[in-house]
Amino acid sequence: MERAYVLINCETGDENSVLSNLRNINSVKEVHGIFGAYDIVAKLESDNQDEIRHDLTKAIRKIKKIRSTLTLIAQGADSSFAKRLSDEEKKVLERYMAQAYVLIDCKKNDECQVLRKLSQIPAIIEGNVVIGSYDIVCRVVAPTYNDISDVVTKKIRKLENIKVTRTLNLIE
């Protein structure tokens, strides 16, 4: 499965329109408003890397009101993890838990080792080594945004070879 994350800045006040347009693109599997340096994060998945490239260049970047995008391409199945969640667990997460993507820049070229350590943290439910402006993208869930902050500051940033993190809190 090919995967990419697209961080999007859009015109102020047009987030809902952009979100709506993104949801109509075939490879877009998740899309969320976020707090922080970007307005929206979209997760694309497909069995075909060409479909993702097409959707990035011919669909996403053509949406009116998008000012800029930053694309992070996942490196592959051997450089990712996703904890299996039942449908019921997913519903609980979506309804009751705070969620965030954390973008990580590593000190050395040892992203896979960092990813393995991240996979051992219970609050991190998925992670990918990516190509782009960051080295790793992971998804954190916790009861509150303060708890997410604790995971980032007390667990993720304490790992060896973590240089910089950027937390993107999801807005539902």
Side-chain angles (χ1 to χ4, degrees), residues 112-121 124 159-161:
C112 289
Q113 182 179 355
V114 171
L115 188 68
R116 282 190 294 278
K117 290 177 182 177
L118 290 169
S119 73
Q120 301 304 310
I121 299 172
I124 300 176
L159 294 176
E160 185 177 357
N161 295 324

Side-chain angles (χ1 to χ4, degrees), residues 7 38 70-73 103-105 130-136:
L7 307 173
Y38 303 97
L70 174 67
T71 302
L72 305 170
I73 304 287
L103 310 174
I104 300 170
D105 195 11
V130 293
I131 299 168
S133 298
Y134 298 94
D135 299 317
I136 295 173

Side-chain angles (χ1 to χ4, degrees), residues 17-49:
S17 171
V18 173
L19 286 164
S20 179
N21 283 300
L22 288 166
R23 289 185 179 110
N24 293 322
I25 298 171
N26 191 44
S27 66
V28 174
K29 302 305 178 196
E30 291 182 29
V31 62
H32 304 276
I34 53 178
F35 293 119
Y38 303 97
D39 302 312
I40 296 171
V41 60
K43 183 168 123 178
L44 286 66
E45 290 182 344
S46 175
D47 291 329
N48 183 339
Q49 190 175 46

Side-chain angles (χ1 to χ4, degrees), residues 77-164:
D78 59 334
S79 300
S80 68
F81 73 89
K83 297 177 181 171
R84 295 197 186 274
L85 302 173
S86 70
D87 289 340
E88 188 62 32
E89 288 172 317
K90 289 178 187 175
K91 287 178 186 175
V92 169
L93 289 179
E94 290 170 7
R95 185 160 184 186
Y96 298 108
M97 302 290 270
Q99 298 185 55
Y101 280 105
V102 180
L103 310 174
I104 300 170
D105 195 11
C106 297
K107 290 181 185 174
K108 297 195 300 187
N109 292 333
D110 205 6
E111 297 89 358
C112 289
Q113 182 179 355
V114 171
L115 188 68
R116 282 190 294 278
K117 290 177 182 177
L118 290 169
S119 73
Q120 301 304 310
I121 299 172
I124 300 176
I125 61 170
E126 69 180 72
N128 291 275
V129 174
V130 293
I131 299 168
S133 298
Y134 298 94
D135 299 317
I136 295 173
V137 174
C138 65
R139 189 167 183 172
V140 179
V141 297
T144 68
Y145 289 114
N146 285 339
D147 294 321
I148 286 177
S149 178
D150 285 347
V151 171
V152 173
T153 58
K154 296 177 182 174
K155 295 182 180 180
I156 295 175
R157 289 184 185 162
K158 299 290 184 191
L159 294 176
E160 185 177 357
N161 295 324
I162 299 292
K163 184 170 145 185
V164 174

